[in-house]
Amino acid sequence: MNRRKAPLLLAAVLLLAGSALLVFKTHPEEGASPETDPARASAATAPGAQALAARNRGPPAIAGDALGSAAEPPGGDLVSYLRSRYGARIHDPHTQMRMLEQLMRHFQQLNPTGWEADLLAVIKLAFPELYDELALRLRQRLDYEKWMKEHRSELQDKPAAERRAAVWEERHQLFGKEVAEKIWAAELRNQAVADALTTIDALPNATVQDRMAKYKESLAKAYGEGTQAYMQAHQQELMNHFLDLGSVQKDLGAMPPDQRARSLRSIREEMGLDEEALKRWDALDQQRDARWEVGSQYMSERELLAQQHSGPELESRLQELRARYFSTDAETIAQEEESGFFRYTRPRQWGRN
């Protein structure tokens, strides 16, 4: 090479390198740059980490969360999405598990055989200061999944109480008692309320109002300061759980219609329904009562016809009877009866059907 041209070529190369560095510096990654943040420097330079982050710019789509619901994530790169969605509560074990569950689904779809390494690389970029803790949490989660699969048949054969005890014992061993109870806090609350309902159902000589008062006490104990918000968000579900108690149904069934209507309205008021909702329920109760009255009359006449006729003659008369009582629903009733289902011989569930 011509000695006089060499310095010029070297200067050109340095100029191009400087320009590239300037362009890179003016487009930093959202958040602190790994080059300027020592805590993130090692994560950013991990083998394949930057390439992985570039490949997974889009945040994971969520079909559902096994440990908590989640909505479709917003646009943006995956690392920024994780910091935005989970950063504020990332020290909470439940939040950690929700994030890991979401990422597992995402990376298992992208890379079924190497998803774990990909997931850990992104975690290291997003939360380098918690990498060891999150990696441990992922290992605990995988060990728990493995244990559940290996013991599925054994657990299914156990009574419910023994099954729960065995599962919780394994959770405590894998995660530690404190962490496990934070991860499955919602399950603990739900179980506490379910146990309370069993106790409430067995109360001797208690009125519907007495049982409702105990029910609300159990909700307050389980959900604390968040009780009202929880009740507001789960009114129908909570109301159904109470109405499904055998003792409540027995008491409602023994009441005169007017008293039963007042009791049902009181139950719904206690669950926080507003006046407009209460009126809609009153109207629905009246429709249900009328429908069951018609059904009762139909079954009485049907039984009488079955005693007097048989064969084609009986079917002809039943067809006329169904048309008279049920009009456009007559064919549906006929199909149900042909399959052996008689809807008006079912137990009446007050406030439910």
Side-chain angles (χ1 to χ4, degrees), residues 180-192:
E181 291 182 358
K182 287 181 179 178
I183 292 174
W184 284 280
E187 181 180 321
L188 284 173
R189 288 192 294 265
N190 290 339
Q191 188 59 51

Side-chain angles (χ1 to χ4, degrees), residues 91-106:
H91 292 276
D92 172 46
H94 176 71
T95 300
Q96 293 173 354
M97 192 60 69
R98 288 182 61 197
M99 178 183 72
L100 291 171
E101 290 274 354
Q102 179 188 0
L103 290 174
M104 284 171 62
R105 287 190 294 273
H106 175 63

Side-chain angles (χ1 to χ4, degrees), residues 290-353:
R291 186 168 64 242
W292 276 88
E293 179 62 27
V294 168
S296 177
Q297 294 173 8
Y298 163 76
M299 290 303 298
S300 295
E301 289 195 41
R302 189 187 193 287
E303 184 177 353
L304 184 61
L305 286 175
Q307 294 172 357
Q308 298 172 345
H309 306 281
S310 62
E313 177 66 18
L314 173 61
E315 182 51 42
S316 175
R317 290 179 179 273
L318 287 178
Q319 186 174 356
E320 294 175 359
L321 183 68
R322 288 190 290 261
R324 176 156 54 88
Y325 272 102
F326 303 113
S327 184
T328 57
D329 290 333
E331 183 60 30
T332 300
I333 298 294
Q335 292 174 359
E336 290 177 354
E337 292 181 354
E338 186 177 354
S339 69
F341 175 71
F342 294 83
R343 65 170 66 183
Y344 294 108
T345 61
R346 294 177 300 158
R348 177 75 190 270
Q349 292 292 108
W350 302 103
R352 298 281 275 133
N353 65 15

Side-chain angles (χ1 to χ4, degrees), residues 25 46 90 158 165 168-169 195 209 271 281 290 298-299 331:
K25 291 289 188 179
I90 193 59
K158 292 179 179 291
W168 273 106
E169 181 180 358
D195 291 344
Q209 291 74 19
M271 288 289 99
W281 274 107
Y298 163 76
M299 290 303 298
E331 183 60 30

Side-chain angles (χ1 to χ4, degrees), residues 82-148:
L82 293 176
R83 292 173 185 165
S84 173
R85 178 170 179 80
Y86 298 107
R89 294 177 55 86
I90 193 59
H91 292 276
D92 172 46
H94 176 71
T95 300
Q96 293 173 354
M97 192 60 69
R98 288 182 61 197
M99 178 183 72
L100 291 171
E101 290 274 354
Q102 179 188 0
L103 290 174
M104 284 171 62
R105 287 190 294 273
H106 175 63
F107 284 110
Q108 284 170 351
Q109 290 179 353
L110 291 178
N111 185 6
T113 59
W115 66 269
E116 188 173 347
D118 289 354
L119 186 156
L120 290 172
V122 168
I123 287 296
K124 200 164 190 179
L125 285 171
F127 303 106
E129 69 283 0
L130 288 177
Y131 174 77
D132 290 342
E133 181 177 337
L134 293 170
L136 172 62
R137 195 75 69 234
L138 177 62
R139 176 46 47 198
Q140 292 168 332
R141 165 64 177 77
L142 294 176
D143 288 345
Y144 176 67
E145 180 180 2
K146 179 182 178 182
W147 183 87
M148 290 292 289

